[in-house]
Amino acid sequence: TATDPRPLRHPCNNWARAVLDPPCRMRVSAKSLPLWIEFVVLYALVPLALWQRWLPPAWIVVSALLYVAGVLAIQKWRDICKPLIPKERVPYRRELKRVLMRFAIVAPMLALLVFLLTPQTAFTFPQEQTAVWGMLMLTYPIYSVLPQELIYRSFFFWRYRRLVRPRTLFIALNAAAFAVAHLFIGHWITIAVTLVAGAVFAYTYLRTRTLHVVWVEHALYGNLLFTIGMGPFLHKASAL
């Protein structure tokens, strides 16, 4: 029997096609304008309102979440879950190995950054509040990371994927939105870290087309930052 010369299609090959995308383009038309308005409100005005305290924070967050929930209720849940359940099998071991290798390189660099910027807080949290730290390590991935990834990766990529090309520009847009969401913490280190992290998480999500791997990656870095002493730059975000 003749072998099929075409390469196997796999969700992890999607990133390889990024360089083949058409030139940078933002699609603005009468059809896409409502989506752009929605994007600006949810991912720019809501974070700005939190940052500037235009309205009570709880009211803003609840209103935004109710809107997202309404969109999810109106649309077919199956369509929204398509990026979470790819038709092709994702090689989780290989992708998790890639995530862990990157984490092994970045983690010492982040620890060094904490020692240089705030040496008085380095690793004090697990030493002084061991029980609280242990509880946070267990609950943060579920109650903070998972909602963030649902809103900033699953919902974001499903809802706005056709507005911007190529994928590299879309990743930059997603990273910027993720960084803007942390403006209200009020520190440039937070914005810089979340900008880079947002790009990494968006890249991982595009590679795998599934929430599972990027959720693990986000949880690893979040727990690391709390452990090494960057909690003061993240505690407001985790409270939300």
Side-chain angles (χ1 to χ4, degrees):
T1 57
T3 22
D4 190 348
R6 293 174 300 177
L8 293 176
R9 296 189 62 185
H10 192 276
C12 293
N13 292 332
N14 287 327
W15 175 253
R17 297 201 302 270
V19 293
L20 303 177
D21 277 345
C24 294
R25 180 179 64 192
M26 290 191 179
R27 185 177 299 175
V28 180
S29 62
K31 187 177 180 180
S32 64
L33 186 59
L35 276 181
W36 277 112
I37 294 174
E38 176 190 283
F39 167 78
V40 170
V41 170
L42 286 179
Y43 293 96
L45 291 183
V46 167
L48 286 175
L50 288 171
W51 182 33
Q52 296 296 326
R53 302 282 180 175
W54 292 338
L55 293 170
W59 189 91
I60 298 172
V61 173
V62 169
S63 299
L65 291 177
L66 285 176
Y67 177 83
V68 172
V71 172
L72 297 180
I74 293 171
Q75 301 293 331
K76 292 182 179 179
W77 182 252
R78 183 180 181 85
D79 292 339
I80 299 168
C81 288
K82 281 180 180 178
L84 308 184
I85 312 172
K87 294 179 181 179
E88 302 90 346
R89 181 175 176 177
V90 175
Y92 287 110
R93 288 186 180 180
R94 189 175 73 185
E95 291 305 311
L96 286 174
K97 181 179 179 181
R98 187 188 301 271
V99 165
L100 291 174
M101 288 176 61
R102 183 163 54 232
F103 180 76
I105 296 173
V106 175
M109 298 171 61
L110 289 174
L112 178 62
L113 180 66
V114 172
F115 274 111
L116 293 176
L117 295 178
T118 57
Q120 68 278 6
T121 65
F123 293 96
T124 56
F125 183 31
Q127 294 174 5
E128 297 177 357
Q129 303 182 57
T130 307
V132 177
W133 170 80
M135 184 62 66
L136 184 63
M137 295 298 102
L138 295 175
T139 57
Y140 174 74
I142 299 173
Y143 294 106
S144 183
V145 173
L146 186 57
Q148 289 182 61
E149 289 306 317
L150 283 170
I151 294 173
Y152 281 89
R153 246 60 67 182
S154 296
F155 181 83
F156 189 102
F157 278 66
W158 164 76
R159 189 73 168 162
Y160 309 114
R161 65 188 183 278
R162 300 186 186 278
L163 294 182
V164 178
R165 295 289 182 90
R167 290 177 175 84
T168 48
L169 184 59
F170 189 73
I171 284 177
L173 183 66
N174 181 260
F178 190 63
V180 168
H182 296 81
L183 271 177
F184 69 101
I185 296 178
H187 203 290
W188 68 269
I189 293 179
T190 307
I191 304 305
V193 169
T194 52
L195 182 64
V196 175
V200 172
F201 300 153
Y203 166 77
T204 298
Y205 187 79
L206 268 182
R207 279 186 56 84
T208 61
R209 297 285 176 166
T210 177
L211 187 70
H212 308 86
V213 178
V214 71
W215 173 60
V216 170
E217 185 173 38
H218 189 162
L220 280 173
Y221 285 103
N223 283 351
L224 170 71
L225 294 179
F226 280 109
T227 300
I228 63 179
M230 291 192 72
F233 304 116
L234 301 173
H235 73 281
K236 292 182 181 179
S238 64
L240 292 177

